[in-house]
Amino acid sequence: MSRRQIGLFFGSFNPVHTGHMILANFMATQTSLDEVWIVVSPQNPFKKRGSLARDHDRLHLVELAIGDTPGLRASRVEFDLPKPSYTIDTLAVLRDRHREYDFSLIMGSDNLASLPKWKNADIILRDYHIHVYRRPEYPAGELSGHPHVTVYDAPLMRLSATYVRNCLREGKSIRYLVPEAVVAELEKSGLYRR
């Protein structure tokens, strides 16, 4: 029996939006992956913590966005790891905890281009497959030809979490920008409005 293929989609998801969910669902249903785990990162080493909502609030919104969608799952694995989170450390923990799965990464072509700056990038490229969604404004670069890299033309939205947060702060509608369950929770909680 073949091992289940799990794609890890890392991000701040501050908040999760429709663009994230389209990509996660594309990877779960139109690639060789069996499942996509949306990994909520407490702190990306390349980003400032400033405007981040609390870890558990962002995870809760991801869980609401997923609902009962087959093939998608929220992960809080990085919550208990040292900050900032380094992908290679998270991969080691997951590999140790779930020996029955094969893990791979999901990222945009912008992240693939910056991968050489990551901690232990050579080990990531050697030991893990990387599923890359092409972003037109960011060429995938020389790593797109690596044997462990597969590049996809996934459906993309020009939508950012910053835009969603700005709409919330300004009292503008976020309907259709985030999944319905997330709209309801953000309206109820007032998160990002203050």
Side-chain angles (χ1 to χ4, degrees):
M1 191 166 137
S2 62
R3 293 159 61 83
R4 280 181 71 74
Q5 303 298 310
I6 310 297
L8 302 172
F9 186 18
F10 290 86
S12 301
F13 304 106
N14 188 42
V16 63
H17 57 65
T18 304
H20 295 134
M21 299 311 297
I22 288 171
L23 285 168
N25 191 62
F26 172 87
M27 290 293 176
T29 61
Q30 299 191 40
T31 70
S32 59
L33 295 171
D34 296 307
E35 209 169 51
V36 168
W37 292 6
I38 300 177
V39 182
V40 178
S41 298
Q43 187 183 351
N44 177 323
F46 296 108
K47 288 186 179 177
K48 290 182 178 157
R49 186 157 175 95
S51 62
L52 272 184
R54 291 182 316 181
D55 301 345
H56 290 280
D57 289 334
R58 291 181 289 123
L59 177 69
H60 179 58
L61 294 175
V62 168
E63 290 168 341
L64 289 171
I66 291 171
D68 58 1
T69 306
L72 299 183
R73 171 175 157 180
S75 172
R76 63 178 302 280
V77 64
E78 291 194 333
F79 289 13
D80 304 320
L81 301 180
K83 316 294 185 275
S85 310
Y86 292 98
T87 302
I88 190 67
D89 300 331
T90 306
L91 287 165
V93 167
L94 285 170
R95 200 179 233 184
D96 189 50
R97 285 184 192 168
H98 302 282
R99 296 181 186 275
E100 71 278 20
Y101 298 147
D102 285 331
F103 291 100
S104 58
L105 300 177
I106 296 169
M107 66 179 66
S109 53
D110 53 332
N111 283 322
L112 183 66
S114 69
L115 185 64
K117 297 177 186 166
W118 293 22
K119 179 182 175 183
N120 298 118
D122 54 332
I123 296 171
I124 293 173
L125 277 164
R126 184 193 71 198
D127 294 347
Y128 297 92
H129 195 87
I130 304 175
H131 301 269
V132 177
Y133 52 91
R134 197 184 311 275
R135 297 181 72 175
E137 64 274 29
Y138 297 100
E142 59 190 48
L143 286 179
S144 62
H146 191 281
H148 286 173
V149 173
T150 306
V151 181
Y152 302 90
D153 287 313
L156 298 176
M157 293 183 71
R158 292 186 63 86
L159 175 61
S160 70
T162 302
Y163 180 78
V164 174
R165 290 195 307 273
N166 288 342
C167 286
L168 286 163
R169 270 194 290 275
E170 295 165 14
K172 295 178 179 170
S173 171
I174 56 165
R175 190 163 192 191
Y176 305 119
L177 300 179
V178 301
E180 275 187 52
V182 176
V183 173
E185 179 62 21
L186 289 172
E187 285 176 354
K188 184 177 83 178
S189 69
L191 196 60
Y192 300 112
R193 290 187 192 276
R194 17 194 189 308

